[in-house]
Amino acid sequence: EQLGRLHGAVDDLNRVVELRPDDPDLWKARGIAFMAAGDNQRALEDLERFNAREGKAEDYPWFLIYLLRWRTDGTRDTTHVKEVSVNAKEPWTRTVAKLLIGEISEEEFIGSAGTSDDEQARGERCEAYYYSGLVRSLRGEDGVRDLMMKCIAVQKLDFVEYALARGELERMGETFPPSTESETPDQNG
């Protein structure tokens, strides 16, 4: 059911992009929607276009671009993610980057996520489970489903990673009851 909604969201975003083709936030939103729906090549194109803006690249799209390149053609150019691991303003963002480039283990990464029930800690756990699961998937390792299920169990419905984890799980054959809450992720990670 979510994949149907995602395809509908992509169709809606396509129409809006036609009306406002110079709005980079729309490229980012559509890239994330493409990724959640499993259209990795088109997701990569939109996210690369979004982050190609002079002096306006954002950290989390670099993470998704890196992971999409790894998934689509095996490319593992860590240049931008390494920059984020050193230069990001937020310590957690630097930590995500360090997982992706292999500077810390999955165990260290998940262990460094907040453990309280406040919004920031829940967001870190959502991201920790998603990025750990996706890295496992790309390495061909087991345990991907369990990590993605942990990601959605955190219930950070407004996080991109929540929507991406649900898309991954639906492609694995998982089904979910219709949601009564909004599942429109914010674009900030």
Side-chain angles (χ1 to χ4, degrees):
E1 179 204 323
Q2 183 192 12
L3 287 178
R5 285 196 314 260
L6 286 170
H7 290 290
V10 167
D11 291 342
D12 291 344
L13 283 165
N14 284 336
R15 286 189 286 277
V16 176
V17 168
E18 285 178 23
L19 297 171
R20 296 182 7 220
D22 296 325
D23 184 340
D25 291 330
L26 293 174
W27 310 331
K28 181 179 173 185
R30 187 174 65 177
I32 291 166
F34 278 139
M35 188 172 179
D39 191 339
N40 296 316
Q41 189 58 48
R42 291 172 72 185
L44 183 57
E45 291 166 7
D46 276 356
L47 290 168
E48 285 178 331
R49 183 176 179 193
F50 173 80
N51 252 17
R53 300 165 301 136
E54 189 66 37
K56 296 187 180 187
E58 294 179 6
D59 297 336
Y60 277 81
W62 281 131
F63 299 162
L64 299 179
I65 290 166
Y66 170 74
L67 293 164
L68 285 162
R69 286 179 181 158
W70 186 357
R71 178 174 268 173
T72 58
D73 65 13
T75 301
R76 293 186 62 188
D77 179 357
T78 60
T79 304
H80 296 294
V81 179
K82 280 183 180 177
E83 290 173 11
V84 173
S85 76
V86 174
N87 298 321
K89 293 176 187 171
E90 297 296 325
W92 176 251
T93 305
R94 292 192 302 270
T95 303
V96 175
K98 288 176 183 179
L99 170 82
L100 297 179
I101 60 176
E103 285 187 11
I104 61 172
S105 70
E106 176 186 302
E107 184 178 359
E108 291 173 287
F109 179 55
I110 292 173
S112 67
T115 56
S116 71
D117 201 35
D118 68 40
E119 291 301 307
Q120 179 176 338
R122 287 179 55 233
E124 289 175 1
R125 287 195 308 277
C126 175
E127 292 178 357
Y129 295 133
Y130 172 74
Y131 289 110
S132 295
L134 195 55
V135 167
R136 275 193 190 191
S137 173
L138 294 168
R139 289 182 179 155
E141 298 174 356
D142 294 333
V144 175
R145 181 192 172 281
D146 291 341
L147 286 166
M148 294 296 174
M149 291 297 281
K150 287 180 180 182
C151 173
I152 65 167
V154 175
Q155 291 293 301
K156 284 298 291 178
L157 305 181
D158 60 333
F159 265 49
V160 165
E161 291 79 7
Y162 175 88
L164 294 174
R166 282 195 53 149
E168 293 288 328
L169 286 164
E170 288 199 3
R171 284 187 295 285
M172 292 177 196
E174 290 293 329
T175 58
F176 300 95
S179 178
T180 57
E181 299 185 48
S182 169
E183 290 189 19
T184 305
D186 72 23
Q187 304 305 307
N188 297 318

